[in-house]
Amino acid sequence: TTPNLYLYAANNPSEGTIAKRRSGATLISYLSPPLSQAGLYRGLVDLKASLTRYRTLEPGSSEVSDLGQLIQAQAAGLDLSEAEPLWDDHAKRITALQSAILELEYTLIPHGLHIVGQTMDAEERASTLASLKEAGVDAKRLTDAEAMLQDETELSALLRALDGRFIRPVAGGDLVRTPEILPTGRNIHGFDPFRLPSAFALKDGAKQAELLLTTHRASGRALPETIALVLWGTDNLKSEGGPIAQALALMGAEPKWDSYGRLCGASLIPLEKLGRPRIDVMLTLSGIFRDLLPLQTKMLAEAAYLAASADEPVEMNFIRKHALHVMQEQNCTLDTAALRVFSNADGAYGANVNMMIENGRWDDEDELGAVFSARKSFAHGRDGKASSQTAMMQAVLRGVDLAYQNLESVELGVTTIDHYFDSLGGISRAAEKQRGEAIPVYIGDQTRGAGVVRTLSEQVALESRTRLLNPKWYEGMLKHGHEGVRSIESHLTNTMGWSATTGQVQPWVYQKATETFVLDEAMRNRLAALNPKAAVKLANRLLEAQRRDFWNPDAETLAALERASEDLEDRLEGISVEAAA
């Protein structure tokens, strides 16, 4: 009988649903931060100017070669190219650079943090509306959105709730994909569990699955036989089951519906229609996916079993090929050999890899893979029930050729929150431990346009340039003082989490972060004044990355970083420079 009111992000209906289930909460939604194009800064601006001039030159002119060498030097200085050997194919290299610069300039980033009860200013509103327009929102919804973004609705809704008055419901979702979440200050809810994945998700999921296979093969690799795919509740609710549809498409399966149009299982797509082998897909579910989507969990387990038991040539059905091998190896039933859907034990959440990175109490990367396997080794069968299947999980991991996860939204990148490296990084490290070699890791980004698949290294580099090292992003964060500095430190820690779990962070990221936030005395003083604890943590995290051999700065840089860390520690403990002298 006691009211339970919960301010909750409008773009997180999955965790919001858990809050409703656990404690009968009434949710009052708040908006995600304003969106903006990342823009260019410092050397990137100069490089773009050189590229623009290059396009004006006549082919074969004497200036082409000289300007090409200058562009290569500028790009090398920004870690966008090697300094040597000198390019002999300027045109091709410069075309690729132009595409990279455009992607950096127009990538959408969150600009600062949202303050509950405060509306966007005119500039923030304009950039957010431009993002909605690019996403295909029509003129009348754009007009409505502009009006609603100017109205304060969150604190007024909270006051209504405190008065015991009704809070209107609305489906939650990402602003760019679902402008209907406006106005905020409403009681967000989730989804119809019997309708996921939707018809659109199935069509788009098949397209994204083929894009993943094409991207992987474009690097000269063979068609993967086994893919480790991470499924979260949040990204599936936002996309009507898009990642679920991708998993089904890879396996060559589709949902089965009853006479009322409700989800009731899975069926196989005939091989002649599929046109390629069935890919073996190892699925790792978040705890929230497991809790909210039991029908979909059973459907995925059934799809794997149907493929494993299908009377098809093993060269066209990798699920059956591997299941038959495991049956012989472990002397188990086909039901056990076909288990492909893994999660935590009931009531448990996360892999705890993020906690190990946060506290720094780990010595060897294999420890991270081991804790992931221990936490995520509960397999769901066709009945939806989970059981500990450590040996089965290890057998599947030994065959994993690549790991993959979808990007959830424009607001959240893979370095924004630690859940990404906890899940995708964790399974990558676990697979490497079983295989004895590293595997490729990919990120599927469908937040804008038709979608793109990037390697993890490319994704971290993109986010580092457009967020962590971008003055537009970090100055937007620093406007929020204490919390802004914490967010900057969190980005760096999450970046190191990727180094620890995948080794796919380029060393220049740490070098540039050191120069930007620690060796710049004015910036270091700002961070220490706003949040001394996070400032110390940031400097120490960079030193930890060096100790773990994630980057190797020169002796001068390392000594300066160590001195700066000691200075920040003294400030935190209240020791002034003068007193120490």
Side-chain angles (χ1 to χ4, degrees):
T1 58
T2 302
N4 181 9
L5 308 177
Y6 206 149
L7 278 169
Y8 227 93
N11 67 352
N12 197 353
S14 62
E15 292 192 30
T17 302
I18 296 291
K20 286 175 177 286
R21 187 196 71 182
R22 284 178 176 165
S23 55
T26 292
L27 307 185
I28 299 167
S29 65
Y30 64 81
L31 197 58
S32 50
L35 299 174
S36 176
Q37 292 178 344
L40 300 177
Y41 53 93
R42 293 194 287 270
L44 292 170
V45 174
D46 297 333
L47 176 57
K48 183 182 180 182
S50 298
L51 290 170
T52 300
R53 172 157 181 74
Y54 186 92
R55 291 200 302 270
T56 68
L57 299 179
E58 290 292 331
S61 70
S62 59
E63 230 182 312
V64 167
S65 179
D66 291 341
L67 187 54
Q69 290 184 25
L70 172 62
I71 289 172
Q72 181 178 2
Q74 289 177 312
L78 296 167
D79 299 286
L80 288 167
S81 171
E82 297 79 21
E84 294 180 341
L86 293 179
W87 294 342
D88 56 6
D89 53 347
H90 289 139
K92 182 178 179 180
R93 296 294 192 109
I94 285 173
T95 297
L97 260 184
Q98 288 169 338
S99 298
I101 291 296
L102 285 174
E103 182 177 44
L104 291 174
E105 185 173 8
Y106 294 110
T107 291
L108 291 178
I109 59 172
H111 194 213
L113 301 170
H114 175 65
I115 299 174
V116 173
Q118 181 174 308
T119 59
M120 297 180 185
D121 62 30
E123 183 180 352
E124 293 170 338
R125 196 165 57 248
S127 62
T128 299
L129 290 168
S131 303
L132 295 178
K133 183 177 181 180
E134 183 187 350
V137 178
D138 61 52
K140 182 181 183 305
R141 281 164 76 183
L142 284 174
T143 301
D144 292 342
E146 182 173 21
M148 287 185 281
L149 287 172
Q150 296 181 63
D151 292 337
E152 195 295 300
T153 56
E154 295 166 1
L155 284 183
S156 56
L158 180 57
L159 292 172
R160 283 177 59 87
L162 289 170
D163 281 339
R165 302 172 68 188
F166 178 66
I167 302 298
R168 290 183 298 153
V170 67
D174 185 77
L175 176 62
V176 173
R177 292 175 175 172
T178 317
E180 293 83 3
I181 66 169
L182 296 174
T184 46
R186 290 189 282 175
N187 189 357
I188 57 172
H189 58 81
F191 59 101
D192 181 348
F194 294 102
R195 299 291 189 270
L196 286 182
S198 68
F200 172 80
L202 289 169
K203 181 178 179 181
D204 188 63
K207 183 173 68 174
Q208 301 303 331
E210 292 304 318
L211 179 60
L212 171 62
L213 298 178
T214 300
T215 302
H216 182 71
R217 298 184 74 179
S219 63
R221 297 181 172 94
L223 182 72
E225 293 195 11
T226 304
I227 292 175
L229 197 156
V230 176
L231 295 181
W232 286 358
T234 299
D235 55 0
N236 275 286
L237 298 197
K238 288 180 179 179
S239 62
E240 302 176 352
I244 296 172
Q246 292 175 30
L248 289 171
L250 289 168
M251 290 190 283
E254 57 190 1
K256 188 165 61 177
W257 313 95
D258 66 15
S259 58
Y260 295 97
R262 298 177 303 186
L263 181 66
C264 64
S267 59
L268 295 181
I269 299 171
L271 283 175
E272 55 270 22
K273 181 179 178 182
L274 183 61
R276 58 160 171 79
R278 302 189 193 280
I279 307 296
D280 199 349
V281 183
M282 177 184 183
L283 297 158
T284 304
L285 312 182
S286 69
I288 291 175
F289 185 107
R290 172 204 63 203
D291 291 350
L292 296 184
L293 300 168
L295 293 177
Q296 287 70 21
T297 299
K298 291 169 65 175
M299 173 190 67
L300 292 166
E302 182 180 356
Y305 176 81
L306 290 174
S309 57
D311 184 14
E312 297 173 343
V314 292
E315 65 271 13
M316 292 299 292
N317 185 337
F318 299 142
I319 306 171
R320 180 166 176 77
K321 174 183 176 181
H322 301 151
L324 293 175
H325 175 74
V326 171
M327 284 178 67
Q328 184 176 23
E329 179 185 73
Q330 298 192 9
N331 191 28
C332 63
T333 65
L334 183 62
D335 273 285
T336 300
L339 292 172
R340 293 296 184 274
V341 183
F342 294 85
S343 188
N344 298 81
D346 285 344
Y349 299 84
N352 287 0
V353 174
N354 54 349
M355 296 183 183
M356 295 180 72
I357 297 297
E358 173 65 25
N359 62 39
R361 294 176 183 173
W362 56 279
D363 298 317
D364 185 271
E365 282 83 355
D366 281 348
E367 292 179 38
L368 304 176
V371 74
F372 177 91
S373 296
R375 296 275 297 177
K376 290 287 189 179
S377 60
F378 291 80
H380 294 260
R382 290 179 288 160
D383 59 0
K385 296 180 180 178
S387 60
S388 179
Q389 294 285 347
T390 303
M392 187 62 215
M393 184 183 202
Q394 291 174 349
V396 179
L397 283 171
R398 281 194 288 275
V400 169
D401 296 306
L402 67 91
Y404 173 79
Q405 186 174 1
N406 289 277
L407 198 61
E408 181 185 314
S409 69
V410 170
E411 180 194 352
L412 299 177
V414 300
T415 56
T416 308
I417 55 177
D418 59 12
H419 303 308
Y420 279 108
F421 76 78
D422 184 56
S423 53
L424 181 62
I427 199 170
S428 302
R429 179 56 66 181
E432 180 175 344
K433 178 178 172 61
Q434 294 301 319
R435 287 180 59 97
E437 60 181 355
I439 60 170
V441 184
Y442 297 95
I443 299 292
D445 182 357
Q446 293 103 50
T447 59
R448 300 177 73 185
V452 61
V453 173
R454 302 185 185 97
T455 66
L456 176 65
S457 179
E458 291 169 342
Q459 185 68 36
V460 172
L462 176 67
E463 292 186 18
S464 297
R465 289 190 169 103
T466 58
R467 301 191 189 207
L468 182 65
L469 304 174
N470 184 355
K472 187 173 186 178
W473 182 84
Y474 63 69
E475 289 295 346
M477 286 297 174
L478 291 176
K479 288 191 304 183
H480 299 276
H482 186 279
E483 179 62 16
V485 180
R486 191 206 63 79
S487 296
I488 293 170
E489 180 276 318
S490 178
H491 268 260
L492 181 65
T493 296
N494 295 336
T495 299
M496 201 192 80
W498 287 115
S499 289
T501 54
T502 69
Q504 295 188 30
V505 179
Q506 299 173 49
W508 61 260
V509 175
Y510 298 109
Q511 178 70 33
K512 297 297 184 185
T514 300
E515 295 170 0
T516 301
F517 298 111
V518 183
L519 301 190
D520 184 316
E521 185 177 4
M523 175 59 77
R524 186 170 73 247
N525 289 337
R526 286 177 68 190
L527 299 180
L530 293 170
N531 188 333
K533 185 175 181 180
V536 168
K537 196 173 178 181
L538 187 149
N540 288 344
R541 195 66 78 185
L542 288 164
L543 287 171
E544 182 187 355
Q546 182 272 331
R547 289 195 302 272
R548 296 188 184 280
D549 204 29
F550 298 152
W551 70 304
N552 292 292
D554 57 52
E556 183 180 355
T557 299
L558 180 58
L561 176 57
E562 290 172 337
R563 288 194 302 271
S565 175
E566 292 170 0
D567 173 58
L568 290 169
E569 291 272 9
D570 288 345
R571 295 189 198 195
L572 181 62
E573 296 174 8
I575 304 173
S576 67
V577 175
E578 292 79 7

